Every structure is written in C-alpha cells, then in structure tokens.
Amino acid sequence: MTEHGRIRTVVADDHYLVREGTRRLLELSGEVSVVGAVGNADELLDAVRRLAPDVVVTDIRMPGGEWRQGFEGIDAAHRIRAAHPHVGVVVLSQFSDALFAFELFKHGTEGYAYLLKDRVGDLDELLGAIRAVAAGGSVIDPKVVEGLLARRDVRGQQEALTARERDVLREMAHGRTNAAIARALHLSISSVEKNVNSIFTKLGLENSGDVHRRVAAVLAYLGPQP
C-alpha cells in the first residue's frame, strides 16, 4: 500500500554504496518511500514478507546463499511474484544480452521490469519503471531491444518494419502507452496508433492496449528462434 502517496519500495544490492545511493536517489524524488534496503536475496525475501512493499528494485546478481549464481535477483523476483503477486519487481542488470531479460519474463511479463543498471542515474527512467510495475505493467530496457534489432534477423521480418515502426517498437518495449510514445517521438496519437497497428499486423500479433501484453508481444517478436 502506498505511503503518504509514495510508492513503498525495497532496494536490494550487495554493494553498500550502490544500495544507499539508489535509496537516497529514490527518496529525493518525492515519489518513493524506501522502506527497506538489503544486501542479498535471502534478506530481500524476508524484507518483502515483513514490510509489504509495492515494488522491489533489485540487482540481478547478489552472491551468497544457495541461489543460482548470476541469477539471484531474477530467481528472487520469481519467488516474490509467486508469493506476493501485488508486488512489482524492477531488476537492474549490467547485461544487455536479451537472454537475461527472457529469463526474467519466462513465466509472464506482468509486474516485471528489466533495466540496464546505468538507468539508476536516469531518475525519470527508473521512476517510470517503478510506476509501471506498481500498476501491473512491464518494461524491458530499450537498449536491449535496440541491440537485437540492430544485429538479428528475427523470423525474416525485421526488414519489413520501417524506421518509424522500429522507433515505436522500442518505445513499446519501454512500457509506454500510445500517448506517451507520441510525446517521446513528437508524433500525433493517431500516427502512433497507425504505426502500432502496422507493427502488430506485420508481425502477425494480436493488437492489445494492455501494456504488459504489448511488452510480451515485443518479447515474442525478439525472442530466441527455434
């Protein structure tokens, strides 16, 4: 439950300075109340149980304990969502390889965000992800999507997308609504709607206004091919 209009958040990172820096940055925003800051996945699960936050912001790697090495934050995210489906989880990662994002989203996209760790320095980006997962939406870092679009021929359809459609696809991956995409790309909402419909048509995906399904569509398009 929000606290005085702020989003109750627990921060998890094994590096003290990063953890405290993130906590202070979020607190200063005026939108977030950091109710706990912990250093490993076991402490994170305990904090969620005790403190009932709206959102968790966790590093992808937190060595220690009997967790999958290198996937501690992702595995903790899955356990948190399974036990506390109202809690959104933002995973911060230094890895732009989309395989890590696919690992996070493998059970579904609702309530999850995967951001590259340098987003911590961009408060608007981080707050946007926190707001999205708190509302049950999802976000995948546009840099991950951009890297895939730049180097992969996904199902032979990448060339079918225009440059503008690829811009819109990246914004969709960021969890933005059509109105937000219009503002980001300086387009009219009707123009964005046309591009979104064209993307779904070209990719053979059902159109949906649901934010986390839009991200799911992006993942389906960019996902590993058999």
Side-chain angles (χ1 to χ4, degrees), residues 144-155:
V144 175
V145 178
E146 185 173 356
L148 284 169
L149 285 171
R151 74 175 187 266
R152 293 187 61 185
D153 179 13
V154 185
R155 286 202 286 269

Side-chain angles (χ1 to χ4, degrees), residues 46-125:
D46 179 65
V48 171
R49 179 185 59 78
R50 290 185 296 102
L51 302 172
D54 304 304
V55 172
V56 163
V57 177
T58 179
D59 191 10
I60 192 173
R61 300 187 70 174
M62 290 180 289
E66 296 181 3
W67 296 79
R68 268 196 311 164
Q69 186 174 0
F71 293 88
E72 296 88 354
I74 288 176
D75 290 345
H78 291 156
R79 291 197 196 181
I80 289 167
R81 289 287 299 167
H84 311 277
H86 64 284
V87 179
V89 183
V90 178
V91 174
L92 299 176
S93 172
Q94 63 269 44
F95 306 113
S96 60
D97 190 326
L99 290 176
F100 289 94
F102 295 134
E103 182 71 14
L104 175 65
F105 293 117
K106 68 181 180 181
H107 299 308
T109 61
E110 185 175 358
Y112 290 115
Y114 184 90
L115 293 185
L116 296 184
K117 210 164 185 180
D118 58 11
R119 297 293 181 189
V120 172
D122 190 332
L123 185 57
D124 289 340
E125 296 283 353

Side-chain angles (χ1 to χ4, degrees), residues 11-226:
V11 174
D13 195 295
D14 62 313
H15 293 286
Y16 175 79
L17 291 179
V18 174
R19 183 169 71 244
E20 289 304 304
T22 303
R23 181 192 63 77
R24 180 172 176 79
L25 185 69
L26 291 175
E27 286 279 6
L28 288 174
S29 74
E31 291 191 42
V32 174
S33 175
V34 178
V35 296
V38 299
N40 61 54
D42 292 317
E43 292 175 353
L44 175 57
L45 295 184
D46 179 65
V48 171
R49 179 185 59 78
R50 290 185 296 102
L51 302 172
D54 304 304
V55 172
V56 163
V57 177
T58 179
D59 191 10
I60 192 173
R61 300 187 70 174
M62 290 180 289
E66 296 181 3
W67 296 79
R68 268 196 311 164
Q69 186 174 0
F71 293 88
E72 296 88 354
I74 288 176
D75 290 345
H78 291 156
R79 291 197 196 181
I80 289 167
R81 289 287 299 167
H84 311 277
H86 64 284
V87 179
V89 183
V90 178
V91 174
L92 299 176
S93 172
Q94 63 269 44
F95 306 113
S96 60
D97 190 326
L99 290 176
F100 289 94
F102 295 134
E103 182 71 14
L104 175 65
F105 293 117
K106 68 181 180 181
H107 299 308
T109 61
E110 185 175 358
Y112 290 115
Y114 184 90
L115 293 185
L116 296 184
K117 210 164 185 180
D118 58 11
R119 297 293 181 189
V120 172
D122 190 332
L123 185 57
D124 289 340
E125 296 283 353
L126 182 55
L127 289 174
I130 289 172
R131 292 188 211 104
V133 298
S138 56
V139 172
I140 178 172
D141 198 295
K143 287 186 179 180
V144 175
V145 178
E146 185 173 356
L148 284 169
L149 285 171
R151 74 175 187 266
R152 293 187 61 185
D153 179 13
V154 185
R155 286 202 286 269
Q157 294 174 316
Q158 180 174 324
E159 293 182 358
L161 297 182
T162 66
R164 177 60 73 194
E165 288 165 354
R166 290 172 65 167
D167 288 341
V168 171
L169 182 66
R170 278 188 283 269
E171 296 299 322
M172 286 169 56
H174 204 49
R176 292 195 169 109
T177 63
N178 287 351
I181 293 173
R183 290 192 296 271
L185 298 180
H186 306 290
L187 298 172
S188 67
I189 293 179
S190 62
S191 177
V192 171
E193 290 172 347
K194 289 178 182 177
N195 278 282
V196 169
N197 289 333
S198 178
I199 290 168
F200 282 124
T201 297
K202 288 180 179 181
L203 303 182
L205 298 168
E206 181 181 355
N207 194 356
S208 172
D210 188 274
V211 174
H212 67 82
R213 287 184 181 177
R214 286 155 64 100
V215 173
V218 173
L219 288 167
Y221 170 58
L222 295 172
Q225 301 304 300

